[in-house]
């Protein structure tokens, strides 16, 4: 099938030849005709040689997200192949008896830029980050229903937050809006209709498990707790007490609900409070502290402001730790790279004057893979620090 063409300027094909899936507006020489937002296009070089095929966007600096560098037919079989391949990879990474909540499609990491699919105990939540993906929503849902029907009870589109002008949230199949999902045998209430993102933060699974290694008989503080994931892992490992803090009352209620689901008699307190104020008022009372804030930097313009915010947060966290304490600190801001995050935490450490050692460097889980040709897909950074 022939699609309208996006023609690149001379020399601008190099990144595409290195299999980077984005075409930026500054690389475009012209188009073969007027192209609608979300329409499929062929990307060609200045000599009309085919480079790839993908979705066109008239919003932002990324004008094409490439789905294939080959000549493929974009029919139902294409979506089935992509989703089945991603599903098979997850089955090699995870034990479904112990973990039935994970990411199945991670955008560029699984070769489908603009598409997120999360799985919660036979319930699929699809999120479109590009109009071209949103227009394929029915075809994607059909591919799930037909090729993985034994693992499918609900398919839900949740794209209003990622495509605020055009995206809507609606059921594509079934009508369940919540379920109890398992992660490493721990249970969580997940509501994909009312919850943040797709209902749960799946990328911290391995890091939550690691927290358990430091939590036995310890006093643990989980800040920005949301659903209480780190809190429940700490309690499962034998923490003496756990405190979950979030500015949102709805979040701390959910954290308490999840704790009760797993450990009804746990020594757990959920507090709706400003994290900075709470740590200041409870200095040196916790042996382990988790700092897992929302993204402070949504774009490059807010990079400096975000860096200062991460520094202030880590100063507060280090000061709040009891002697010989453990700090788990994270950034999920994509524009804050690993080096900048490390240096920011180091600057915070210098200001506190405490002796600190790095025990672990952390990343997003393997069900959130990074395409080796698209390093921008790596976004979650974390450090585990021993603070004397």
């Amino acid at each position: 099938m022939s699609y309208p063409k996006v023609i690149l300027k001379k020399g601008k094909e190099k990144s595409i030849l290195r299999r980077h899936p984005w075409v930026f507006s500054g690389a475009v020489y012209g188009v073969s005709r007027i192209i609608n937002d979300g329409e499929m296009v062929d990307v060609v070089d200045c000599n009309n040689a085919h480079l790839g095929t993908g979705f066109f966007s008239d919003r932002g600096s990324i004008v094409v997200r490439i789905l294939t560098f080959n000549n493929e037919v974009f029919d139902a079989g294409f979506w089935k192949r992509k989703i089945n391949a991603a599903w098979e990879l997850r089955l090699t990474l995870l034990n479904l008896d112990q973990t039935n909540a994970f990411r199945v499609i991670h955008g560029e990491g699984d070769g489908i830029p603009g598409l997120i699919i999360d799985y919660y105990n036979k319930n699929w939540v699809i999120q479109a980050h590009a109009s071209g993906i949103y227009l394929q929503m029915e075809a994607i849902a059909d591919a799930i229903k037909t090729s993985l029907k034994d693992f499918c009870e609900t398919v839900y589109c949740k794209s209003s937050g990622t495509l605020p002008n055009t995206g809507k949230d609606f059921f594509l199949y079934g009508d369940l809006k919540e379920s109890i999902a398992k992660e490493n045998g721990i249970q969580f209430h997940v509501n994909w209709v009312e919850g943040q993102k797709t209902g749960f933060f799946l990328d911290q699974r391995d890091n939550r498990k690691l927290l358990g290694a430091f939590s036995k008989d310890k006093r643990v503080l989980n800040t920005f707790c949301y659903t209480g994931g780190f809190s429940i892992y700490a309690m499962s490992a034998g923490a003496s007490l756990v405190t979950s803090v979030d500015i949102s009352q709805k979040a701390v209620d959910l954290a308490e609900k999840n704790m009760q689901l797993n450990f009804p008699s746990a020594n757990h307190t959920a507090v709706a409070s400003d994290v900075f104020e709470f740590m200041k008022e409870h200095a040196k009372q916790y042996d382990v502290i988790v700092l897992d804030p929302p993204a402070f930097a949504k774009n490059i313009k807010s990079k400096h402001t975000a860096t200062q915010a991460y520094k202030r947060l880590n100063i507060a966290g280090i000061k709040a730790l009891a002697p010989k304490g453990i700090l788990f600190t994270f950034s999920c801001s994509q524009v804050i790279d690993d080096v900048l995050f490390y240096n920011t935490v180091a600057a915070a450490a210098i200001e506190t004057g405490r002796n600190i050692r790095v025990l672990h460097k952390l990343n997003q889980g393997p069900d959130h893979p990074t395409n080796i040709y698209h390093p921008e897909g790596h976004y979650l950074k974390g450090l585990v620090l021993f603070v004397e």
Side-chain angles (χ1 to χ4, degrees):
M1 181 180 291
S2 178
Y3 299 110
K5 295 178 181 179
V6 172
I7 306 154
L8 301 188
K9 297 174 183 176
K10 186 176 181 179
K12 294 298 183 180
E13 72 281 359
K14 293 179 180 178
S15 65
I16 309 302
L17 292 173
R18 293 194 295 266
R19 303 183 73 82
H20 193 284
W22 291 351
V23 176
F24 292 95
S25 57
V28 177
Y29 172 79
V31 294
S32 60
R33 64 164 172 79
I34 295 175
I35 304 173
N36 297 318
D37 186 39
E39 193 172 354
M40 194 79 78
V41 296
D42 285 322
V43 179
V44 300
D45 67 12
C46 62
N47 296 313
N48 202 38
H50 181 266
L51 299 170
T53 304
F55 293 121
F56 182 82
S57 175
D58 60 9
R59 308 172 193 177
S61 60
I62 304 172
V63 296
V64 182
R65 290 173 171 83
I66 294 177
L67 290 177
T68 179
F69 299 93
N70 305 312
N71 289 306
E72 292 189 61
V73 176
F74 292 93
D75 55 10
F78 172 83
W79 295 110
K80 288 181 180 179
R81 288 193 302 275
K82 285 288 190 179
I83 292 169
N84 283 336
W87 177 260
E88 289 299 322
L89 174 60
R90 272 59 182 183
L91 294 185
T92 68
L93 300 172
L94 301 161
N95 179 349
L96 283 183
D97 291 333
Q98 291 295 309
T99 299
N100 59 18
F102 49 89
R103 179 152 295 179
V104 179
I105 298 289
H106 185 59
E108 289 82 355
D110 286 292
I112 312 181
L115 177 63
I116 297 296
I117 303 180
D118 288 340
Y119 177 84
Y120 301 107
N121 191 19
K122 298 188 179 182
N123 300 283
W124 302 68
V125 186
I126 308 176
Q127 197 173 68
H129 290 250
S131 297
I133 292 294
Y134 186 74
L135 294 173
Q136 295 290 321
M137 198 62 66
E138 294 284 351
I140 295 168
D142 286 343
I144 294 169
K145 289 185 294 182
T146 55
S147 60
L148 293 165
K149 60 182 179 180
D150 292 339
F151 300 94
C152 183
E153 292 181 356
T154 297
V155 182
Y156 185 68
C157 170
K158 191 170 188 179
S159 300
S160 62
T162 52
L163 294 173
N165 296 322
T166 57
K168 293 181 174 61
D169 300 339
F170 58 95
F171 287 98
L172 289 148
Y173 177 70
D175 59 3
L176 293 177
K177 69 175 186 179
E178 60 184 340
S179 180
I180 294 177
K182 286 191 300 184
E183 183 182 278
N184 292 319
I186 294 173
Q187 299 183 94
F188 292 96
H189 292 278
V190 181
N191 186 314
W192 41 89
V193 174
E194 299 176 5
Q196 295 181 36
K197 302 292 185 178
T198 65
F200 192 66
F201 290 95
L202 296 163
D203 52 4
Q204 290 278 26
R205 179 188 309 105
D206 292 350
N207 301 328
R208 286 190 278 261
K209 185 176 181 180
L210 179 63
L211 179 76
F214 295 94
S215 297
K216 184 173 175 56
D217 300 325
K218 302 297 184 182
R219 300 163 296 174
V220 179
L221 172 63
N222 179 19
T223 67
F224 308 96
C225 67
Y226 185 40
T227 55
F230 281 104
S231 303
I232 297 162
Y233 272 80
M235 188 58 68
S236 72
S240 60
L241 69 88
V242 177
T243 304
S244 303
V245 179
D246 199 290
I247 194 68
S248 164
Q249 183 65 53
K250 184 177 180 181
V252 297
D253 289 345
L254 185 54
E256 178 61 25
K257 183 179 180 181
N258 280 326
M259 185 65 79
Q260 289 295 315
L261 178 65
N262 292 276
F263 305 104
S265 59
N267 187 7
H268 175 248
T269 304
V271 182
S273 172
D274 176 81
V275 166
F276 286 91
E277 290 299 319
F278 186 90
M279 289 194 294
K280 186 176 181 181
E281 294 169 4
H282 298 80
K284 307 283 192 300
Q285 293 185 14
Y286 292 95
D287 307 301
V288 181
I289 295 179
V290 179
L291 305 177
D292 185 23
F296 286 158
K298 297 293 186 181
N299 52 59
I300 197 70
K301 294 179 181 178
S302 58
K303 185 175 182 177
H304 176 73
T305 301
T307 302
Q308 295 306 306
Y310 284 118
K311 182 181 177 181
R312 289 194 302 273
L313 177 62
N314 281 276
I315 289 172
I318 292 168
K319 286 183 175 180
L321 268 173
K324 298 182 181 179
I326 296 291
L327 184 71
F328 276 65
T329 181
F330 297 96
S331 167
C332 61
S333 299
Q334 194 172 51
V335 298
I336 307 293
D337 63 26
D338 295 67
V339 174
L340 179 56
F341 180 64
Y342 187 99
N343 290 341
T344 301
V345 176
I350 290 169
E351 193 155 326
T352 67
R354 298 180 72 174
N355 291 325
I356 297 175
R357 280 171 268 179
V358 177
L359 304 182
H360 294 276
K361 294 181 179 180
L362 307 177
N363 301 286
Q364 63 220 48
D367 55 332
H368 294 60
T370 302
N371 184 334
I372 199 166
Y373 307 111
H374 180 260
E376 298 91 333
H378 169 59
Y379 65 95
L380 182 63
K381 288 81 53 182
L383 296 171
V384 181
L385 308 179
F386 176 74
V387 182
E388 291 186 5

